[in-house]
Amino acid sequence: MIGTALLLVYGASSVGSLYQELAEQRGQKSAEQDFFGDVDLYETINRRMAGGEGYYEAALAEHRAHDYPARPFVTVRLPTLAWTNQLWGASGWRILAPALLGAIIFSFIGALSGLTLAVERAGAALLLAAAGMGVFYDRAGFMHELVAGLLLSLSLGLYRPHRWWPSLLAAGAALAVRELALPFILLWAAFAASQRRWAELAALAGLFLLFAAGMALHAWNVAEMRLPGDAATPGWAGMLGLPYLLTSIGQLTLLLALPPALAGPLALLPILGWIALGGRLGFFASLWFIGFGMAVALFARPNNFYWVLLLLPAYMAGLALVPRAVADLVAAITHPGKGTA
């Protein structure tokens, strides 16, 4: 815990100014461009589908029309979210997305019971609600990362060793929406294998096989509709680092209302709370948040900031656990030999 705290202090000492610089650069670019964005792309694809076109026909045509890459196949989103919009539309998502947020809050109150104080659970609930405000965006149903993040947060909150299948269903739904949820599944499989939970591991392996088959079919459909001149992605090797990750978290949560020099360090603190929680929930959450956060810091391009939505709203609930982390740290400093053999 002491080592973790020192690393966080070191990171926070330089994050504020770098965070502010990145935030200003991103705001300047947004102000300079009246651009056709990703949500516009997905909304337009859905309008074409409503007119009778198939998903891949509409998606590749719109990618081509607006110079979006179609190579490799993962640059074209999975059709799952588009199909849901054909079933219940954006208006349905305006009901379902807030309902998912409510389910997340209640699931975490249950998951934290017995591990935390009532005041910590209340704080976590408020932070989850605040970090999940994106569900009230009228086009939330076109944002793959937002929906996948809600489902992964729900999976994290629903998991119980004696009743893990609801968590698996939520994680599987997230994977069907956005393939970036795969590391969550792989981490879960590693936990199940290490604990010799064979039925759980078999179910996760089955989910992975379904995912692999779905991705193969997706790749084939994209290739069928792709033309020789379609654009290719510039790749994912941004190497933008920790300030970029924290800027992205800040700009997609209510931290946006704070001065950048304060929002940056605050965006870093939740991980300390999750580490302090301990147990299966704290350990799994910490590894997931750190691992995916590192992936964002290393691979995301400047316009991939929305990837951090896969961590939300669950990540920010860690702020409610920071006081216990501070208490543990103080105890470790003032009573260094306590609890040791």
Side-chain angles (χ1 to χ4, degrees):
M1 179 61 72
I2 295 176
T4 301
L6 290 174
L7 284 173
L8 287 170
V9 170
Y10 174 76
S13 66
S14 59
V15 156
S17 59
L18 291 169
Y19 181 104
Q20 182 163 1
E21 181 181 347
L22 283 171
E24 289 173 353
Q25 289 175 0
R26 188 174 292 165
Q28 183 178 358
K29 289 179 181 178
S30 298
E32 291 172 352
Q33 299 175 5
D34 183 15
F35 62 92
F36 183 92
D38 291 1
V39 177
D40 301 306
L41 174 70
Y42 306 135
E43 190 172 22
T44 305
I45 290 170
N46 276 271
R47 282 200 296 267
R48 293 182 69 142
M49 291 174 68
E53 291 186 55
Y55 172 75
Y56 289 98
E57 179 185 1
L60 271 294
E62 287 300 317
H63 274 243
R64 196 172 299 123
H66 298 285
D67 200 29
Y68 272 75
R71 304 171 188 275
F73 72 94
V74 291
T75 58
V76 179
R77 292 288 177 268
L78 291 164
T80 314
L81 199 59
W83 288 342
T84 68
N85 275 290
Q86 296 306 302
L87 288 173
W88 54 72
S91 58
W93 273 112
R94 293 187 195 109
I95 298 171
L96 184 55
L100 278 173
L101 179 59
I104 290 165
I105 292 169
F106 281 107
S107 73
F108 270 90
I109 291 174
L112 293 171
S113 294
L115 300 173
T116 58
L117 302 173
V119 67
E120 291 176 306
R121 294 193 292 277
L126 289 173
L127 287 162
L128 287 166
M133 286 293 102
V135 300
F136 297 105
Y137 177 44
D138 62 355
R139 298 198 291 175
F142 298 113
M143 298 179 66
H144 299 77
E145 291 77 14
L146 186 148
V147 172
L150 289 170
L151 291 165
L152 289 178
S153 292
L154 181 61
S155 177
L156 189 61
L158 284 176
Y159 181 84
R160 306 290 186 275
H162 63 281
R163 193 185 72 251
W164 46 263
W165 63 266
S167 178
L168 183 67
L169 290 176
L175 193 58
V177 170
R178 192 69 167 98
E179 68 281 357
L180 289 179
L182 181 60
F184 185 96
I185 304 299
L186 297 178
L187 178 62
W188 186 352
F191 269 64
S194 68
Q195 297 167 355
R196 299 185 179 183
R197 300 178 61 85
W198 304 125
E200 202 171 310
L201 182 61
L204 289 162
L207 175 60
F208 177 79
L209 290 175
L210 283 174
F211 168 74
M215 289 300 288
L217 184 60
H218 178 62
W220 183 83
N221 278 299
V222 171
E224 282 292 295
M225 291 292 174
R226 198 163 48 204
L227 297 178
D230 286 344
T233 180
W236 297 278
M239 301 295 289
L240 296 172
L242 180 63
Y244 171 81
L245 169 65
L246 300 180
T247 302
S248 300
I249 293 172
Q251 294 207 327
L252 291 169
T253 64
L254 292 181
L255 292 176
L256 182 64
L258 299 176
L262 178 61
L266 281 177
L268 187 61
L269 282 178
I271 194 60
L272 184 60
W274 283 112
I275 293 171
L277 178 63
R280 196 268 183 191
L281 176 58
F283 189 35
F284 185 97
S286 298
L287 290 178
W288 162 238
F289 296 140
I290 292 171
F292 194 81
M294 287 178 61
V296 172
L298 292 173
F299 302 118
R301 300 192 306 269
N303 60 342
N304 295 140
F305 64 94
Y306 51 82
W307 285 4
V308 300
L309 286 170
L310 272 82
L311 303 177
L312 299 174
Y315 173 71
M316 293 305 295
L319 270 178
L321 306 173
V322 170
R324 73 163 49 215
V326 174
D328 289 347
L329 180 62
V330 170
I333 293 172
T334 57
H335 302 90
K338 188 176 180 180
T340 62

